[in-house]
């Protein structure tokens, strides 16, 4: 626990300037971001039933710890898709990060590299696939919003991601249309129209060649028609699989039958996620869906998890319930908004440290042995 003591000392002595709790990070981010931008990031869809449920459900799950094990070192290394990672964390894809900080995804990718945490770059990122690869040789995955309008644009992006060294393609399946986000509707807020989120489109040769009108406004409109993909079906997944040698991960699976279909269609992993309550409101908490999906998947493919994770304890619960790795969402975006690259680094570092402390106190010396923990859910 030497690391932990070091961290405690650092927090006490040098890091008072940095926020510590999720709420503190959020408060600083709120101050630094434009009002519409903060609202866009922080809110959920509809009446935010699901955004809230993600939290209440996580709090209903409790850990039943083990005692009298030597936990003088806690090993959180994680194997995923044949790679070994230093921790069980990845960063969820979040579009348009220049909305949070002028350095956007460049800063986030650099912070990830420091901890060798995979960064999942969004299709609608403000920085391009290549720009991000240039500043970070750390692990990177690419998130794809399938373009039904012109599948060749999607294949072009997949090809660019392969060429730039990205290790996996994450196909998001819960965003077939825009979520019902009342805050954004009232404010008339659209991050794309601020020009923050077109890095991958503006640098895509197939997309640019397809445009008749290269005026800014029509580029944005074209991007929007490319992002929404109500026609997305399992056939497209099979098609994508044919076009790349990279592993394919489906993000946004909540039903166990869909998890089984994912296995049937030969995908390499799933992310159990409800998009942080930003898409379909009223859906099951991500952590409860994880518990059900874990049962049927039974280790056939890796299961990743996001939505509502705010600290190390949340991550340990997800890992104990059956996730192979956990994706951090809003917490790192607030770190970015508050303190740029260093902010993201602090958020990641504390997630890892708190996870180590939590596992140690729960009597688990190696993450690989987390199945020894009990988990109980209150009604
Ligand atoms: C501002 C914002 C933008 C997002 N953009 C994307 C995106 O471009 N692609 C995607 O697959 N998910 C996107 N997500 C969803 C996240 O990947 C993740 O599922 C979600 O943030 C998890 O919930 P949490 O933030 O409550 O932990 C976005 C989330 C936020 C907050
Ligand atoms: O805002 C989001 O959650 C998101 O995923 C998204 C979808 C389309 C365009 C930009 C971001």
């Amino acid at each position: 626990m030497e690391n932990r003591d070091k961290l405690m000392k650092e927090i006490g002595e040098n890091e008072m300037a940095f926020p510590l709790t999720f709420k503190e990070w959020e408060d600083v981010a709120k101050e630094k971001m434009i009002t519409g931008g903060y609202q866009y990031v922080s809110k959920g869809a509809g009446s935010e039933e699901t955004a809230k449920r993600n939290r209440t459900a996580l709090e209903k799950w409790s850990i039943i710890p083990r005692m009298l094990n030597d936990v003088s070192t806690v090993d959180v290394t994680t194997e995923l898709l044949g790679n070994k990672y230093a921790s069980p964390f990845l960063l969820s894809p979040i579009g348009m990060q220049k909305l949070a900080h002028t350095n956007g995804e460049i800063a986030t990718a650099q912070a990830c590299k420091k901890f060798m945490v995979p960064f999942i770059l969004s299709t609608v990122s403000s920085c391009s696939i290549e720009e991000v690869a240039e500043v970070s040789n750390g692990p990177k995955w690419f998130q794809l919003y399938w373009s039904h309008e012109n599948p060749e644009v999607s294949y072009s992006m997949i090809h660019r991601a392969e060429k730039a060294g990205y290790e996996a393609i994450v196909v998001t399946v819960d965003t077939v249309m825009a979520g019902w986000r009342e805050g954004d509707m009232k404010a008339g807020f659209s991050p794309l129209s601020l020009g923050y989120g077109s890095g991958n489109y503006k640098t895509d040769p197939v997309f640019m060649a397809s445009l008749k009108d290269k005026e800014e406004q029509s580029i944005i409109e074209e991007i929007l028609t490319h992002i929404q993909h109500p026609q997305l079906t399992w056939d497209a997944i099979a098609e994508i699989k044919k076009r790349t040698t990279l592993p394919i991960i489906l993000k946004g699976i909540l039903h166990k039958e869909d998890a089984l279909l994912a296995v049937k269609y030969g995908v390499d992993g799933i992310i159990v996620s409800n998009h942080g309550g930003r898409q379909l409101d009223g859906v099951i908490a991500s952590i409860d869906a994880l518990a059900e999906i874990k049962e049927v998947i039974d280790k056939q493919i890796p299961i990743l998890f996001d939505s509502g994770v705010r600290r190390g304890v949340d991550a340990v619960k997800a890992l104990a319930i059956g996730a192979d790795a956990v994706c951090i969402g809003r917490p790192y975006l607030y770190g970015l908004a508050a303190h740029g690259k260093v902010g993201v680094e602090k958020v990641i570092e504390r997630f890892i440290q708190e996870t180590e402390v939590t596992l140690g106190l729960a009597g688990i010396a190696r993450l690989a042995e987390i199945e020894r923990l009990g988990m109980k859910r209150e009604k």
Side-chain angles (χ1 to χ4, degrees):
M1 289 278 89
E2 214 176 279
N3 284 348
R4 203 267 298 253
D5 294 342
K6 209 172 122 233
L7 175 84
M8 293 303 191
K9 215 161 158 250
E10 268 174 26
I11 289 179
E13 287 171 6
N14 311 318
E15 305 203 358
M16 292 311 280
F18 290 103
L20 188 55
T21 65
F22 174 74
K23 171 84 172 53
E24 286 164 7
W25 284 107
E26 181 167 23
D27 287 347
V28 181
K30 184 177 178 181
E31 253 170 52
K32 297 214 174 173
M33 291 176 77
I34 56 169
T35 314
Y38 167 73
Q39 174 168 266
Y40 162 72
V41 171
S42 60
K43 290 238 167 183
S47 56
E48 303 193 283
E49 213 178 271
T50 295
K52 290 177 209 149
R53 189 175 291 145
N54 282 336
R55 289 299 315 155
T56 47
L58 265 163
E59 282 164 16
K60 285 193 170 154
W61 280 97
S62 37
I63 299 166
I64 310 174
R66 303 298 299 269
M67 296 299 145
L68 298 170
N69 289 306
D70 180 353
V71 288
S72 46
T73 58
V74 175
D75 173 6
V76 294
T77 53
T78 297
E79 239 189 81
L80 205 54
L81 303 171
N83 295 312
K84 202 163 180 183
Y85 297 111
S87 79
F89 293 109
L90 298 89
L91 295 201
S92 293
I94 292 190
M96 299 164 275
Q97 295 189 16
K98 284 195 179 166
L99 189 59
H101 190 274
T102 45
N103 296 343
E105 291 83 357
I106 297 282
T108 307
Q110 286 171 329
C112 278
K113 186 188 152 199
K114 180 166 175 190
F115 297 94
M116 294 308 271
V117 158
F119 174 42
I120 312 180
L121 181 77
S122 165
T123 293
V124 280
S125 53
S126 3
C127 306
S128 73
I129 293 171
E130 294 80 9
E131 281 175 295
V132 167
E134 223 163 82
V135 299
S136 164
N137 57 7
K140 294 171 296 296
W141 296 11
F142 180 67
Q143 178 264 327
L144 183 72
Y145 275 134
W146 173 251
S147 169
H148 184 82
E149 179 81 4
N150 185 353
E152 291 309 320
V153 172
S154 300
Y155 295 135
S156 169
M157 285 195 196
I158 291 173
H159 177 69
R160 287 166 60 197
E162 277 179 347
K163 216 172 133 206
Y166 288 66
E167 294 172 355
I169 303 292
V170 173
V171 183
T172 301
V173 295
D174 60 12
T175 311
V176 294
M177 53 191 78
W180 187 263
R181 301 180 189 170
E182 292 175 350
D184 296 343
M185 285 152 93
K186 272 197 223 160
F189 184 84
S190 161
L192 269 175
S193 57
L194 296 175
Y196 287 122
S198 41
N200 287 325
Y201 283 97
K202 283 193 176 164
T203 50
D204 194 84
V206 177
F207 175 73
M208 289 311 280
S210 73
L211 296 178
K212 283 187 202 79
D213 179 354
K214 295 201 170 50
E215 286 298 306
E216 185 66 19
Q217 197 46 41
S218 58
I219 295 180
I220 289 163
E221 276 162 28
E222 271 303 307
I223 292 172
L224 281 171
T225 55
H226 277 261
I227 294 168
Q228 309 300 347
H229 46 227
Q231 306 89 339
L232 187 71
T233 62
W234 289 98
D235 296 340
I237 305 300
E239 203 50 42
I240 295 170
K241 225 183 117 59
K242 276 193 230 152
R243 299 280 199 120
T244 179
T245 53
L246 292 179
I248 307 278
I249 318 286
L250 299 188
K251 174 170 181 282
I253 298 291
L254 291 170
H255 199 295
K256 58 186 176 192
E257 293 300 330
D258 280 344
L260 289 171
L261 278 172
V263 176
K264 187 177 147 203
Y265 275 83
V267 310
D268 302 278
I270 55 173
I271 307 183
V272 174
S273 165
N274 55 32
H275 214 105
R278 299 166 64 79
Q279 284 302 110
L280 178 57
D281 193 31
V283 295
I284 185 168
S286 197
I287 195 78
D288 290 335
L290 174 67
E292 292 190 8
I293 286 174
K294 163 73 182 167
E295 291 295 315
V296 296
I297 289 298
D298 195 23
K299 301 201 168 98
Q300 294 177 82
I301 50 171
I303 307 175
L304 284 71
F305 172 79
D306 83 13
S307 299
V309 176
R310 299 292 174 257
R311 52 167 62 253
V313 168
D314 300 331
V316 168
K317 287 180 182 177
L319 294 162
I321 289 169
D324 295 282
V326 173
C327 307
I328 304 170
R330 289 182 182 93
Y332 86 81
L333 205 268
Y334 293 150
L336 178 67
H339 289 283
K341 174 175 91 112
V342 185
V344 180
E345 284 174 1
K346 289 291 163 208
V347 169
I348 297 174
E349 182 176 37
R350 287 167 184 171
F351 258 96
I352 296 172
Q353 296 280 359
E354 194 196 320
T355 297
E356 288 172 353
V357 171
T358 306
L359 286 171
L361 285 170
I364 302 294
R366 292 187 334 114
L367 194 49
E369 291 163 8
I370 199 162
E371 281 178 10
R372 300 182 62 242
L373 287 183
M375 288 300 293
K376 186 169 189 284
R377 193 194 191 283
E378 283 167 38
K379 287 259 176 294

